[in-house]
Amino acid sequence: MRFSEGTHRLHWATGLIRMFTIMLIYFVLLGFPLLVTQTEDGLTLALTPEVATRFLAVTIPFMVIAIVAGLWGWLALRFHVDGDEDDLVVETGLLRKNKRRIPLSRIQAIDVVRPLMTRMLGLAEVRVELAGGARSEIALRYL
């Protein structure tokens, strides 16, 4: 793929990674405690119909939120290199669009970060650091 031609989105797996992250945080903080029941012997993991119903009643809305957040995050970011002016153009947002033009001459460093999960999928996060300015970093997760 040539990134110097056309407008590009992040890799489609970006949405899945975000969804998985949201669901993992949900399960650790709220989902698993919903499955634990207080009994006379202490806390136990009893999968009774009422516990399963309670778990599903909370998990299904969180799953919908995670899917929407993952898809929204993937759809909201586009980028391209404007060859006429030598700019990196990063467009964000679906409802409220924001376009950021960065002259290639202001780019100070480009870092490629590969966490374990993305390395298994063959992806990488690209961080572009700029010289000067208040917002001096752009993160493209995941290419």
Side-chain angles (χ1 to χ4, degrees):
M1 176 184 300
R2 298 193 58 141
F3 286 108
S4 61
E5 299 172 0
T7 301
H8 305 281
R9 290 196 186 278
L10 302 174
H11 194 274
W12 60 267
T14 300
L16 294 176
I17 292 170
R18 287 183 181 163
M19 183 187 77
F20 177 74
T21 303
I22 291 170
M23 288 308 295
L24 184 66
I25 292 170
Y26 156 76
F27 187 74
V28 168
L29 295 179
L30 188 62
F32 186 74
L34 286 173
L35 294 173
V36 175
T37 306
Q38 179 71 33
T39 62
E40 293 132 13
D41 299 333
L43 296 174
T44 60
L45 184 64
L47 294 176
T48 62
E50 60 193 27
V51 171
T53 303
R54 178 178 63 206
F55 177 75
L56 289 176
V58 177
T59 301
I60 290 173
F62 267 96
M63 176 113 24
V64 170
I65 290 169
I67 291 170
V68 168
L71 186 61
W72 190 283
W74 177 72
L75 287 173
L77 196 136
R78 295 161 309 285
F79 66 95
H80 67 276
V81 176
D82 189 359
D84 298 335
E85 301 176 20
D86 284 338
D87 290 345
L88 172 64
V89 181
V90 179
E91 301 172 7
T92 56
L94 288 176
L95 299 177
R96 185 175 161 206
K97 298 194 182 244
N98 185 18
K99 185 182 283 191
R100 188 170 173 195
R101 298 183 79 82
I102 297 117
L104 294 179
S105 61
R106 277 192 56 212
I107 294 177
Q108 189 171 15
I110 297 176
D111 298 326
V112 178
V113 180
R114 298 192 69 196
L116 178 64
M117 181 65 120
T118 59
R119 203 174 323 142
M120 291 178 357
L121 296 171
L123 303 175
E125 174 183 350
V126 177
R127 294 181 188 165
V128 180
E129 293 186 33
L130 309 173
R135 300 181 316 175
S136 64
E137 183 177 281
I138 296 172
L140 299 173
R141 296 181 190 106
Y142 296 98
L143 301 174

